[in-house]
Amino acid sequence: MKKVFKIISTGDVHGMLFPYDFTTLSPAPGSLARVSAYVESQRAVMGEDSVLLLDNGDILQGQPAVYLYNFIETGTAHPVARVMKRMRYDAMTIGNHDIETGHPVYDRFRADLAPIPLLGANVTDISTGEPYFKPYTVVERNGVRFAVLGLLTSAIPAWLPEKLWEGLDVEPMVESARRWMRHIRERESPDVVIGLFHSGYHSTHPTWKWMENASDIVAREVDGFDLIIMGHDHSRAVIREENGTLLINPGAYATHVAETVVTVEQDDYGRVVDCNVDGRVVSVADHEPDEGFLEEFAPERKLTQEFVEKVIGEATGDFGVRDAYFGPSAFMELIHTLQLEISGADISLAAPLSFDAVIRKGTLRMSDMFALYKYENQLCTLAMTGEEVKNHLEMSYNLWTAVMGSPCDPLLKFASGNPVKGDYSRLINPSYNFDSAFGVNYTVDVTCPKGQKICISSMADGTPFDLKRTYRVAVNAYRANGGGELITRGAGISHDELKSRVLDATELDLRYYLMKAIERKGMISPVVTRNWRFVPEEIVDAAIPRDRHRLFA
């Protein structure tokens, strides 16, 4: 007997519950409201028992709606959990940005989500040695047993302060997958095994000792997976390994779903004798949002709208990210100056966390703070020598800029194949690792290789910059914990030493302090201090307009 099922999966939703972006205050092409409509249409065609709905994590960060219910409106069931129950998800794997919200948020979310299982087989409770999250679940539909094993990227310690994952250990994915696959095969007798992974495909670049994206290794080295649903890298993909395992990634922000058709053949005793898996990535942008969904969650949408429309100040001009790729910018100077004010540090290091954000002239609202600062990071003050600061910048600008030989060469490192991160499809590396510095004056020689690009001439006040002196340096917690490896691989500070370098850290997220600082000021004006520049100018000046057009056309 032949039976056909559809596995529909979302991932890296990043709080996009509604067909509206509360950061840009504009309609959004994706949203779980649209996904809900699509899933219901498939259930109507296939039958309720023939559709499974899964999510692979990173849903609790990225939009004001989730921030509001993570940290402010905490006295109610989390709306994301309620949304997932309404849509009848069968399972979800936790992601690194879910962990980044902190224990109080994801522990509460897990309780609110029940009985939908929150998976994470490779996350261990240190006190008990047992899995902190449910390692896997078995879903039985129409006489067929689907085992779903959840794993997330093991590089959590490379990005997040320990207090966010205190008491937990994250095991490498391959080791965990191998052990749990044996357990599932021996104990559960599954007909189909699905890997629900918050980890991307390519394992070509480790994050210090952790493999950030390991789905390809698991597919090749751990026998038994019929399907692996990937995430984390935001790259839509359908890949068939030589051993037959299908890997699929729905991308990000609920603009698409991964849709896998599983066809099984059962003998007269109900045993599966053949299983075929095929998949595609489907856009939901043309699907009207689920009206029942919108009606049920109208109060949450209204409250979020009121939250983001709260006036916090006035801007006398535009602050845009685009200028930040080609020199000092008002957008980055706003972040730098506020980081220095909040921390009292000597030097600020920061990158544009949004690829192409803009804060417009006029009334500043809470929504602008989410454009200014995308995720919930604390502000840290580190002790770094002048030489470490220079080496940090050497790696940053090497990620960012090419080595130019003539005005005809590109200034930026444009992607020719698959980018590292799907959001940054025109560049080789993601811009959230393009740190510039404030508090020092320096040049970046685009004709030189890494190690010879940066020349720091002085501190901002004109006093000498000393390679051997120790400075107080303001960075976000992601960077302070080794995120992007600019401090570890770039500055040369070992990961084990990072904790001892932290002089101070804010209790709340940096966005909160930025918002409070703007409220105190009342008005902010775009100011550009030319504390750094690309040289030689006769080569760079020709490349900048050409690269700007290529990047943003």
Side-chain angles (χ1 to χ4, degrees):
M1 180 186 297
K2 183 181 291 186
K3 295 178 180 177
V4 180
F5 301 86
K6 273 193 178 178
I7 318 294
I8 300 174
S9 52
T10 54
D12 296 283
V13 171
H14 287 294
M16 193 60 73
L17 308 181
F18 304 104
Y20 187 80
D21 189 327
F22 289 100
T23 297
T24 61
L25 304 182
S26 61
S31 78
L32 289 186
R34 295 187 195 279
V35 172
S36 179
Y38 181 77
V39 171
E40 288 307 309
S41 72
Q42 297 305 300
R43 285 174 174 148
V45 172
M46 300 286 297
E48 295 281 337
D49 239 17
S50 297
V51 176
L52 276 72
L53 181 59
L54 306 171
D55 183 87
N56 67 17
D58 272 11
I59 198 170
L60 294 179
Q61 247 191 8
Q63 274 284 308
V66 287
Y67 178 88
L68 178 63
Y69 286 92
N70 287 347
F71 303 110
I72 301 173
E73 297 292 332
T74 58
T76 182
H78 204 295
V80 174
R82 290 175 47 224
V83 163
M84 298 186 85
K85 286 181 176 180
R86 186 189 195 282
M87 293 175 66
R88 288 172 286 157
Y89 272 85
D90 293 290
M92 171 189 165
T93 292
I94 196 161
N96 58 290
H97 280 291
D98 303 317
I99 296 289
E100 191 171 17
T101 62
H103 265 294
V105 176
Y106 59 78
D107 289 345
R108 167 185 155 228
F109 172 71
R110 174 175 56 176
D112 290 344
L113 186 64
I116 300 171
L118 183 58
L119 306 180
N122 57 332
V123 183
T124 304
D125 186 330
I126 294 173
S127 65
T128 65
E130 298 296 321
Y132 189 77
F133 301 102
K134 191 171 182 179
Y136 68 90
T137 189
V138 176
V139 180
E140 187 159 345
R141 291 288 165 79
N142 197 16
V144 176
R145 289 172 62 80
F146 296 86
V148 183
L149 175 66
L151 295 171
L152 76 154
T153 173
S154 60
I156 299 294
W159 306 318
L160 305 181
E162 188 174 345
K163 71 175 184 178
L164 299 178
W165 46 274
E166 189 174 8
L168 306 180
D169 182 52
V170 187
E171 183 183 18
M173 288 177 56
V174 175
E175 296 172 24
S176 185
R178 190 173 286 124
R179 185 175 69 258
W180 284 105
M181 179 63 79
R182 285 197 300 269
H183 177 96
I184 290 169
R185 288 294 184 192
E186 292 170 2
R187 302 283 184 88
E188 304 294 351
S189 302
D191 298 309
V192 180
V193 179
I194 301 169
L196 188 59
F197 297 170
H198 189 79
S199 182
Y201 180 76
H202 291 287
S203 60
T204 53
H205 178 67
T207 300
W208 194 41
K209 64 181 180 180
W210 297 284
M211 193 60 69
E212 177 177 353
N213 295 310
S215 296
D216 59 335
I217 306 179
V218 174
R220 289 193 288 267
E221 296 188 7
V222 182
D223 292 334
F225 286 101
D226 298 289
L227 168 66
I228 290 176
I229 300 162
M230 305 178 289
H232 180 62
D233 63 1
H234 294 194
S235 299
R236 296 191 296 272
V238 181
I239 301 166
R240 178 82 67 179
E241 290 292 327
E242 290 184 4
N243 63 7
T245 302
L246 184 75
L247 298 97
I248 193 165
N249 190 329
Y253 309 116
T255 61
H256 294 72
V257 296
E259 183 178 274
T260 308
V261 176
V262 178
T263 305
V264 299
E265 189 77 36
Q266 291 176 310
D267 63 17
D268 294 340
Y269 300 98
R271 294 172 299 199
V272 172
V273 293
D274 189 40
C275 177
N276 182 68
V277 179
D278 201 6
R280 61 177 186 148
V281 176
V282 181
S283 171
V284 298
D286 293 334
H287 286 264
E288 290 299 316
D290 182 334
E291 288 296 334
F293 181 109
L294 295 180
E295 183 178 346
E296 182 172 339
F297 297 101
E300 286 78 10
R301 181 172 181 174
K302 180 175 182 292
L303 195 61
T304 303
Q305 193 79 48
E306 293 170 354
F307 171 63
V308 296
E309 289 181 351
K310 177 188 174 185
V311 175
I312 60 173
E314 193 80 14
T316 64
D318 290 352
F319 296 78
V321 168
R322 294 187 178 192
D323 292 339
Y325 300 97
F326 307 104
S329 69
F331 189 95
M332 289 309 304
E333 184 157 337
L334 178 60
I335 293 177
H336 281 308
T337 54
L338 290 174
Q339 284 195 170
L340 292 179
E341 287 177 16
I342 294 164
S343 66
D346 306 306
I347 299 168
S348 168
L349 297 171
L353 296 191
S354 296
F355 173 67
D356 188 19
V358 62
I359 297 173
R360 298 290 183 191
K361 175 183 177 180
T363 301
L364 284 173
R365 292 181 168 82
M366 194 64 202
S367 59
D368 294 307
M369 295 298 95
F370 289 84
L372 182 67
Y373 219 88
K374 193 172 184 180
Y375 297 120
E376 285 77 73
N377 264 295
Q378 290 74 41
L379 180 65
C380 296
T381 306
L382 301 185
M384 295 178 68
T385 67
E387 185 171 14
E388 288 167 345
V389 171
K390 178 187 181 298
N391 290 339
H392 179 111
L393 292 172
E394 288 282 1
M395 179 174 173
S396 173
Y397 282 90
N398 185 60
L399 293 174
W400 180 351
T401 60
V403 176
M404 297 181 68
S406 77
C408 298
D409 295 330
L411 167 66
L412 304 182
K413 283 188 172 178
F414 287 97
S416 56
N418 290 325
V420 172
K421 190 89 168 178
D423 295 357
Y424 303 87
S425 57
R426 295 184 181 92
L427 299 173
I428 292 176
N429 298 302
S431 64
Y432 56 70
N433 285 329
F434 295 175
D435 274 8
S436 60
F438 202 70
V440 291
N441 299 314
Y442 62 102
T443 58
V444 183
D445 193 329
V446 298
T447 66
C448 294
K450 177 186 174 185
Q452 301 172 35
K453 287 180 177 288
I454 307 298
C455 178
I456 305 177
S457 57
S458 69
M459 300 298 291
D461 61 5
T463 57
F465 176 81
D466 189 344
L467 290 174
K468 298 189 181 302
R469 179 184 162 184
T470 298
Y471 295 95
R472 291 171 57 88
V473 182
V475 296
N476 67 32
Y478 171 78
R479 191 71 76 232
N481 209 60
E485 301 183 281
L486 293 175
I487 288 180
T488 52
R489 198 155 57 95
I493 302 171
S494 72
H495 200 276
D496 293 335
E497 190 184 349
L498 284 178
K499 193 179 293 186
S500 67
R501 294 293 192 101
V502 178
L503 303 173
D504 194 18
T506 59
E507 183 64 28
L508 301 176
D509 62 276
L510 182 52
R511 187 194 296 119
Y512 171 83
Y513 294 101
L514 295 175
M515 180 265 291
K516 287 297 182 184
I518 291 172
E519 280 186 328
R520 285 195 305 273
K521 293 173 183 291
M523 182 175 292
I524 58 172
S525 298
V527 176
V528 181
T529 302
R530 303 291 175 185
N531 70 300
W532 71 269
R533 59 194 174 94
F534 288 123
V535 295
E537 291 173 348
E538 61 270 18
I539 289 181
V540 175
D541 288 350
I544 286 176
R546 187 176 63 244
D547 280 17
R548 180 188 288 269
H549 178 76
R550 181 176 175 183
L551 191 60
F552 297 111

